[in-house]
Each structure stands twice: as structure tokens, then as C-alpha cells.
Amino acid sequence: MWGRPASLATVPGRDSSLAGYRAKRDFTKTPEPAGEAEASGEPFQRFVVQRHRARRLHYDLRLEMGGVLASWAVPKGPTLDPRERRAAFHVEDHPVEYLHFEGVIPKGEYGGGDVTVWDEGLWAPAREREPSSPEEAVRQGELHFDVAGHKLRGRFALVRTGVDAGGKERWLLLKKRDRYAVEGWSPEDHPRSVLSGRTNDEVKADPERLWLSSRPVGQAEVYLKRST
Ligand code: MN
């Protein structure tokens, strides 16, 4: 349903990986991307943490892997405090086109609310401790990884702790002790978007960008405030 650059190859067998994401969204109404799985072929992969005020505030940690964004919803947000154990819920993969989405999702839509890019950067698995691939580590329920973001730095671990009756996976997000660890550090003390410098309130009151899902990916992002 989406046009995309011919140089980006579709990964065989990954076509259904975004089925859950698509099923929960009506892309004729929601300004979010409906992407195709893509192969990045890059040695480093991207990550983003979006601060998302939906029915409840949470932070969405998304790690690019296998051509999609593997995603966890973290109600209290990631922290640099190694003493904290943050609950994280493994949610459906998101398309890579969603990586830097910052704006408003209309009320009544899945995830309706406002979204800011709270942090972004590069990540890599801590390879000496990983299975064959990060996707396999996620399947096995334990991923150790390093991040280089604006706010988040150093090594983290995601560990699956259980699966509820509805199939929802409960995980913990942990900051490992390293030189980037800061006891007492709270994400709520660092609320501004790393893209725009704005808070969720400021984005909600006056969104700068929309994503129009009826358009091809390359034309979907619309700047409301300035010409580009
Ligand atoms: Mn969310």
C-alpha cells in the first residue's frame, strides 16, 4: 500500500511482522505511517524513545532490528539509575518510518494523544553476550545492548519476566552499572524533545508535523510551520 525507495529490499518472510500494528490502526484516519518491513543493511541501528501521552503517559522504546522497530512501552520511562527496575511491555513492531514521528494522534485512534521524540540515537547489541541476532535475543527473552543517545547512554538490559493470559509480555528494563549510570536520575526531569526542544504540552497545543498515511512514505510527512 506504500511506495518506497527501490533500493530498500523487502526482507523475505517478514511481511506479516507488522500485521498487529496495521490491524490496530485505521490508516485512513490516523496520521501515522503504515510501513513495509525493510532491510537496513547498516552496521549500527537506530533507536528512539517517544514520550507518548495516550490514555496514560508512557515512553515507547523502539530498537531498529530486522527492518522494523521492536517496541516496548515503559510506563515510568527509561532511567540511568541502575537501582531501578522499570516495567516494560513488549508491544507490536512499528514501521521504521515511525522512528522520528512527533505530533498528535487524533482522539479515538489507537494511541490517540501526543508524541514527542524524547531521545534518539544509535544502539548495538552487546555481542559477546548475545545469541545469533538481536531478534533471536528478543525471542529468547533477554537482550543486552548499548545505546548512544542524547539522554540515554551506556548499557541496558531487557529481560522478559512473564506472559499474561492475553499474551501480553511483561519485561523489565534495567540500566547496567557503568560510567553512564546516575543514581536518582529521572526521565521526567528531562522532558523536552531532542528534535524540537518542545514538551508534550507544547506539541499538543501547536503541532509542527503531521504524518498523512494516505500518501507514499516519502511524501507523508507534512510540515505545518515552515516550508522545507
Ligand atoms: Mn505508545
Side-chain angles (χ1 to χ4, degrees):
M1 78 178 83
W2 282 83
R4 61 198 165 86
S7 62
L8 295 170
T10 298
V11 180
R14 299 289 303 190
D15 292 337
S16 65
S17 63
L18 296 173
Y21 172 89
R22 292 196 180 97
K24 290 180 179 177
R25 288 169 167 78
D26 178 348
F27 288 109
T28 64
K29 292 195 294 182
T30 303
E32 287 193 71
E36 304 272 347
E38 294 174 354
S40 70
E42 299 294 330
F44 301 98
Q45 301 196 82
R46 298 169 293 180
F47 85 94
V48 68
V49 179
Q50 284 150 320
R51 190 175 186 275
H52 184 190
R53 295 194 305 184
R55 278 176 297 183
R56 293 179 182 171
L57 169 65
H58 60 277
Y59 292 70
D60 291 300
L61 168 62
R62 308 190 195 281
L63 304 176
E64 184 180 22
M65 63 174 79
V68 298
L69 301 175
S71 298
W72 288 261
V74 185
K76 292 186 176 178
T79 178
L80 296 177
D81 190 337
R83 303 170 305 178
E84 294 290 330
R85 298 156 63 86
R86 296 297 211 224
F89 299 92
H90 193 198
V91 296
E92 66 273 16
D93 293 342
H94 274 53
V96 292
E97 292 84 357
Y98 192 69
L99 191 75
H100 287 157
F101 178 77
E102 176 169 297
V104 170
I105 303 170
K107 276 183 184 171
E109 302 287 346
Y110 176 80
D114 44 79
V115 177
T116 58
V117 176
W118 180 82
D119 198 15
E120 59 92 25
L122 297 175
W123 80 280
R127 295 183 189 282
E128 72 275 15
R129 302 185 56 174
E130 293 303 331
S132 57
S133 69
E135 298 98 306
E136 182 59 24
V138 170
R139 275 192 289 274
Q140 294 182 14
E142 186 169 348
L143 175 68
H144 297 253
F145 58 102
D146 296 307
V147 304
H150 300 261
K151 298 171 183 174
L152 300 181
R153 294 264 169 164
R155 184 155 300 178
F156 288 79
L158 278 162
V159 181
R160 186 168 56 218
T161 57
V163 182
D164 72 15
K168 195 172 186 179
E169 294 185 13
R170 285 177 279 108
W171 293 60
L172 290 174
L173 175 64
L174 312 171
K175 177 73 189 78
K176 309 299 280 188
R177 290 192 180 273
D178 57 22
R179 62 190 169 122
Y180 301 108
V182 181
E183 292 193 357
W185 195 93
S186 168
E188 292 293 292
D189 294 335
H190 306 271
R192 292 185 178 276
S193 164
V194 297
L195 287 189
S196 67
R198 302 201 300 167
T199 64
N200 280 73
D201 275 338
E202 290 165 354
V203 167
K204 180 182 180 180
D206 195 17
E208 285 193 348
R209 292 192 286 156
L210 295 178
W211 191 291
L212 303 179
S213 60
S214 57
R215 296 185 180 180
V217 167
Q219 303 166 26
E221 198 162 35
V222 175
Y223 285 78
L224 302 173
K225 296 297 179 184
R226 55 190 167 87
S227 57
T228 55

